Amino acid sequence: MDRAFQRTRILTNHLLLPPPAQTACLTSNDCLNYSPPELSEKYAFDVNEMRRLMDGHDVEERDRLFGLIIQSKLFNPRVRGGKVFVSPDYNQSMEQQREMTWKRIEYLLERGVFRGWMTGEGEEMEMKRFACFEVLGIFDHSISIKLGVHFFLWGGAIQFFGTKHHHDKWLRDTENYMIKGCFSMTELGHGSNVRGIETVTTYDSNTGEFIINTPCESAQKYWIGGAAKHATHTIVFSQLNINGTNEGVHALIAQIRDADGNVCPNIRIADCGHKIGLNGVDNGRIWFDNVRVPRENLLNSVADVSPDGKYLSSIKDPDQRFAAFLSPLTAGRVNIAVNAVYQSKVGLSITVRYALTRRAFALKANEPEVLLLDYPSHQRRLLPLLAKIYAMSFGANYLKMLYVKRTPQSNKTIHVVSSSFKATFTWSNMQILQECREACGGQGLKTENRVGHLKAEHDVQSTFEGDNNILMQQVSKALFAEYMAAQKRNKVFKGLGLEHMNKPCPVIPSQLTSTTLRSSQFQMDALCLRERELLNRFVADVSQCQARGESKEHAFNTNYQLAEDLGKAFSDQAIFQTFVDAEATLAAGSLKDVLGMVRSLYALTCLEDVTYLRYGYLSVDNAAAVRREITKLCSELRPHALALVSSFGIPDAFLSPIAFNWIDANSWTSVQH
């Protein structure tokens, strides 16, 4: 009753209060003001030196291309919060986005950006091309994919599969966009299983022509970038049937449009339609109805057909011939893997900068609200991802160098590493962009703030140029084959980074101290131990299945979960090795000290993987010690967060309004403008 009486009295007093004087005005707390993080966050190391280490090459060329993009109205510049930002206008229709992608390509072509991309030679030119793709991908995924299809897939197929007369006829016109190429491999009924494609090509020795046919609806070429609107020519992958014998998948050049853009006779093209992202790319479907192409249009570096219809190839093994025909996909996988790293850099740059200026809740009354990144939970969400991107950056640089220095002997290594890194980097990109979207709260939903939309734009990376799950199974199969070959030869392991298998098995201490956990040798031992033990287990389990009479393929399918764990272990260890190698190039100093902490955070985050507990590589107590050390490292890296994202070298214009003065960017004045 006392409580009821008290509440009644409070309500009565409230109702009987005299009305406020007309001159009284409302008062409020001080309004929030934006304060640039640079005013309070100090750099403990040279961010330009860190950028050179991370980009690895062609920094000046990257900056030149950034400048070309910022200068042109074609790249949709707009002012928000007193700064200029560039990114595509995703409010445009699909048709408008496609036209803008093509106009941007024309702008870059006129300024010589693509000079030497097809006709130039040497490692320097290839690395410069990679750098340009990375910059263009930061602006827009559609333009990088559109260029990638034309140069890396169409152009790459002519370079790899073709011979001198193909190079002379097609490469310069490709570089100058006198022709516009696409790459017709995927079909409605077959994506990852290229060997099963159903398009058929026969040879007419009377006319010296190949005849291409789409025999059924599932054989229609599908998701062909450039086919719906712009492409004039395509590389057609089909089953080559010579004198009643199927010689397997081969590649030919076919024209699909004339110079005026009209679809050629006996070819039907349809649009794939609107997508959840990449609407600046005109993906199409193609049907071939007795399409005749000259005999010289067969890309014949691997196999040829004589004028009188005899099949000729120096590679007698059909499996080896088929493997040779997949080589252009390696360049595509390298590009996709590296592009994924740079998208994550964009997302993290925006999100970390926002977390250094956005406040939420005060810990005590009358105190300022706390910066998001000063919350340990927010640090734990973002900083391990930041460490992962540093590691993947060094992995990407290693992958590019491995590719440009390729030899016939290194092709297997390139295939395995590119498959592993493509899967790991693109999966990580999706994880990072989703975490960034959530960490930005409601602002992460706005298209202009980029992080949410980037996720939709890059979702496709997980399945094109090889489904990630299948790529990881290929990695495990390659490791299995390497293991069995070493056993059969009774020789040491050599290749695919398995040399650590020749050493004694590492032993993890029963109690892990902070010093041990931060030791690069311990970190390497722990990662090698997991790969070693999973490979031994995988070989044993597959061998047991085979001993029971199962086929090798059935045994692999039965042990798919173990194969996935092994693929991830291989990838983590290989990426970590590139991090250690990059760190070793630095002289002692603050840069190396901070990078060492980042390396430790990456390694320990890998040790949190469930396989360490699942298979008993870490005790429960040691797993808890790893977790505590991660939290400690996040706290120690917090003062370096701004410097770490600034080291990405991404110009402000390629980020978004919430990375800077998000209050002004959302002011009423901005609405009026």
Side-chain angles (χ1 to χ4, degrees):
M1 288 297 292
D2 289 343
R3 187 176 177 189
F5 176 76
Q6 184 180 14
R7 291 177 65 185
T8 303
R9 187 176 63 183
I10 291 171
L11 183 60
T12 302
N13 290 339
H14 173 73
L15 293 172
L16 295 178
L17 280 175
Q22 293 298 316
T23 56
C25 61
L26 294 173
T27 60
S28 67
N29 296 329
D30 291 338
C31 288
L32 291 173
N33 288 305
Y34 172 81
S35 178
E38 288 82 359
L39 297 180
S40 55
E41 307 286 324
K42 305 303 179 187
Y43 293 170
F45 58 86
D46 185 341
V47 296
N48 292 317
E49 186 182 353
M50 184 73 92
R51 182 200 174 184
R52 285 191 292 273
L53 181 68
M54 292 187 72
D55 276 343
H57 61 97
D58 293 289
V59 171
E60 293 76 16
E61 182 64 26
R62 294 169 194 267
D63 288 342
R64 184 181 83 86
L65 187 49
F66 278 132
L68 281 176
I69 292 171
I70 293 170
Q71 289 168 16
S72 173
K73 293 189 182 300
L74 285 171
F75 293 86
N76 192 36
R78 65 204 182 284
V79 178
R80 301 285 276 112
K83 294 182 78 72
V84 176
F85 297 98
V86 290
S87 67
D89 181 359
Y90 295 113
N91 289 318
Q92 290 182 322
S93 68
M94 181 177 72
E95 289 75 17
Q96 288 172 322
Q97 289 185 54
R98 291 173 175 183
E99 282 310 303
M100 287 308 300
T101 299
W102 177 242
K103 287 179 181 178
R104 289 165 185 148
I105 290 173
E106 288 182 316
Y107 168 84
L108 298 170
L109 178 66
E110 290 166 4
R111 281 149 187 80
V113 172
F114 312 133
R115 191 175 296 124
W117 279 27
M118 287 281 95
T119 57
E121 295 180 355
E123 295 175 12
E124 187 176 330
M125 175 52 69
E126 289 200 74
M127 294 302 279
K128 176 183 174 183
R129 190 167 61 177
F130 276 127
C132 291
F133 264 94
E134 289 153 26
V135 169
L136 292 168
I138 287 172
F139 170 74
D140 177 33
H141 197 200
S142 285
I143 194 170
S144 66
I145 293 301
K146 184 91 168 170
L147 290 169
V149 168
H150 179 74
F151 285 106
F152 279 96
L153 295 181
W154 155 268
I158 293 171
Q159 284 179 322
F160 285 108
F161 298 160
T163 48
K164 186 177 185 303
H165 76 275
H166 297 114
H167 300 164
D168 293 343
K169 181 175 181 179
W170 300 101
L171 291 183
R172 187 167 298 280
D173 283 351
T174 295
E175 182 174 294
N176 297 330
Y177 268 98
M178 299 301 292
I179 57 173
K180 306 178 188 78
C182 63
F183 190 80
S184 296
M185 178 179 276
T186 301
E187 297 178 355
L188 177 62
H190 291 87
S192 295
N193 182 16
V194 177
R195 195 178 292 227
I197 61 175
E198 297 171 291
T199 302
V200 175
T201 295
T202 56
Y203 180 67
D204 183 348
S205 57
N206 294 321
T207 61
E209 294 173 311
F210 289 104
I211 307 169
I212 309 171
N213 269 292
T214 303
C216 52
E217 287 297 348
S218 59
Q220 63 180 274
K221 295 299 182 182
Y222 213 97
W223 292 124
I224 311 306
K229 189 172 182 65
H230 294 126
T232 59
H233 293 72
T234 190
I235 305 290
V236 184
F237 285 81
S238 64
Q239 305 289 349
L240 182 60
N241 196 308
I242 302 297
N243 298 319
T245 301
N246 183 7
E247 301 293 353
V249 175
H250 290 65
L252 303 96
I253 296 171
Q255 186 169 354
I256 59 174
R257 284 188 179 86
D258 62 23
D260 297 323
N262 302 305
V263 176
C264 292
N266 299 339
I267 286 175
R268 292 172 285 149
I269 296 177
D271 203 307
C272 286
H274 196 274
K275 308 179 289 287
I276 64 170
L278 277 181
N279 284 301
V281 177
D282 51 318
N283 293 92
R285 303 146 61 192
I286 309 176
W287 291 257
F288 300 92
D289 303 318
N290 291 316
V291 174
R292 288 178 172 264
V293 300
R295 187 179 69 88
E296 56 267 25
N297 281 22
L298 177 69
L299 296 176
N300 61 346
S301 66
V302 174
D304 205 352
V305 174
S306 66
D308 60 349
K310 290 187 176 64
Y311 183 76
L312 310 167
S313 178
S314 59
I315 305 175
K316 302 305 179 187
D317 185 338
D319 291 339
Q320 292 181 7
R321 273 205 310 271
F322 176 72
F325 277 117
L326 296 185
S327 56
L329 296 182
T330 301
R333 279 197 294 270
V334 173
N335 246 328
I336 291 166
V338 175
N339 183 271
V341 174
Y342 279 85
Q343 302 316 308
S344 292
K345 288 181 180 180
V346 173
L348 283 166
S349 295
I350 294 167
T351 307
V352 168
R353 290 188 67 91
Y354 185 58
L356 288 168
T357 61
R358 180 70 153 85
R359 296 176 179 273
F361 304 105
L363 299 183
K364 294 181 181 178
N366 302 317
E367 283 190 353
E369 291 181 277
V370 179
L371 287 173
L372 294 183
L373 204 58
D374 284 338
Y375 283 103
S377 59
H378 215 72
Q379 295 169 16
R380 191 64 164 78
R381 293 172 70 180
L382 297 181
L383 298 187
L385 301 180
L386 190 55
K388 179 182 280 191
I389 280 303
Y390 266 74
M392 292 189 338
S393 292
F394 300 131
N397 288 336
Y398 165 75
L399 177 58
K400 286 182 284 187
M401 288 306 299
L402 187 66
Y403 178 77
V404 301
K405 292 180 180 294
R406 60 192 176 276
T407 64
Q409 293 73 35
S410 67
N411 280 342
K412 180 172 70 173
T413 300
I414 294 171
H415 171 71
V416 173
V417 174
S418 65
S419 297
S420 166
F421 283 14
K422 185 265 182 183
T424 301
F425 293 1
T426 56
W427 271 332
S428 296
N429 186 37
M430 287 294 96
Q431 174 206 6
I432 288 168
L433 291 175
Q434 180 62 30
E435 194 64 60
C436 288
R437 210 297 296 155
E438 294 180 26
C440 290
Q443 292 296 329
L445 290 175
K446 292 188 72 174
T447 301
E448 72 168 9
N449 288 329
R450 299 208 69 188
V451 288
H453 197 85
L454 282 175
K455 185 169 182 287
E457 283 287 306
H458 291 83
D459 200 323
V460 66
Q461 288 185 334
S462 300
T463 50
F464 72 178
E465 303 283 347
D467 178 281
N468 284 355
N469 289 284
I470 293 174
L471 291 178
M472 277 305 205
Q473 288 179 30
Q474 289 181 6
V475 171
S476 298
K477 289 178 181 179
L479 295 173
F480 176 92
E482 197 71 19
Y483 185 104
M484 299 304 289
Q487 277 199 336
K488 187 176 181 179
R489 295 190 307 263
N490 198 25
K491 291 185 177 180
V492 297
F493 287 94
K494 188 177 181 181
L496 298 184
L498 292 176
E499 289 80 3
H500 66 87
M501 300 277 289
N502 301 317
K503 302 175 184 177
C505 184
V507 177
I508 293 181
S510 57
Q511 286 189 312
L512 293 175
T513 64
S514 179
T515 302
T516 301
L517 287 167
R518 297 192 186 203
S519 158
S520 60
Q521 186 58 59
F522 161 76
Q523 293 159 5
M524 181 63 79
D525 285 347
L527 291 168
C528 287
L529 171 66
R530 176 176 57 151
E531 183 185 15
R532 177 193 198 111
E533 292 296 312
L534 287 172
L535 180 52
N536 285 330
R537 186 184 293 261
F538 184 59
V539 169
D541 287 5
V542 169
S543 298
Q544 277 185 359
C545 291
Q546 288 182 283
R548 293 196 298 265
E550 295 180 20
S551 68
K552 185 191 294 185
E553 286 305 316
H554 189 272
F556 281 141
N557 288 336
T558 301
N559 291 283
Y560 74 94
Q561 289 176 310
L562 195 51
E564 290 173 2
D565 291 340
L566 174 58
K568 187 174 190 306
F570 169 84
S571 189
D572 288 348
Q573 188 273 332
I575 293 167
F576 183 74
Q577 182 64 61
T578 68
F579 203 139
V580 171
D581 292 344
E583 190 182 350
T585 65
L586 298 175
S590 57
L591 181 63
K592 188 164 189 169
D593 292 341
V594 173
L595 197 60
M597 286 194 286
V598 176
R599 183 249 305 144
S600 289
L601 182 54
Y602 169 70
L604 296 185
T605 303
C606 290
L607 264 61
E608 277 200 309
D609 186 80
V610 67
T611 52
Y612 278 92
L613 281 172
R614 178 185 292 153
Y615 300 110
Y617 308 142
L618 283 180
S619 67
V620 173
D621 288 345
N622 276 345
V626 167
R627 194 175 198 189
R628 287 193 299 271
E629 199 64 27
I630 289 174
T631 301
K632 193 175 172 184
L633 279 164
C634 287
S635 177
E636 292 174 24
L637 282 169
R638 158 63 185 88
H640 305 291
L642 181 62
L644 289 169
V645 295
S646 297
S647 298
F648 293 158
I650 302 172
D652 294 355
F654 292 79
L655 300 181
S656 73
I658 57 166
F660 301 99
N661 193 338
W662 43 272
I663 295 178
D664 277 4
N666 288 281
S667 67
W668 179 247
T669 306
S670 73
V671 175
Q672 292 177 307
H673 286 300

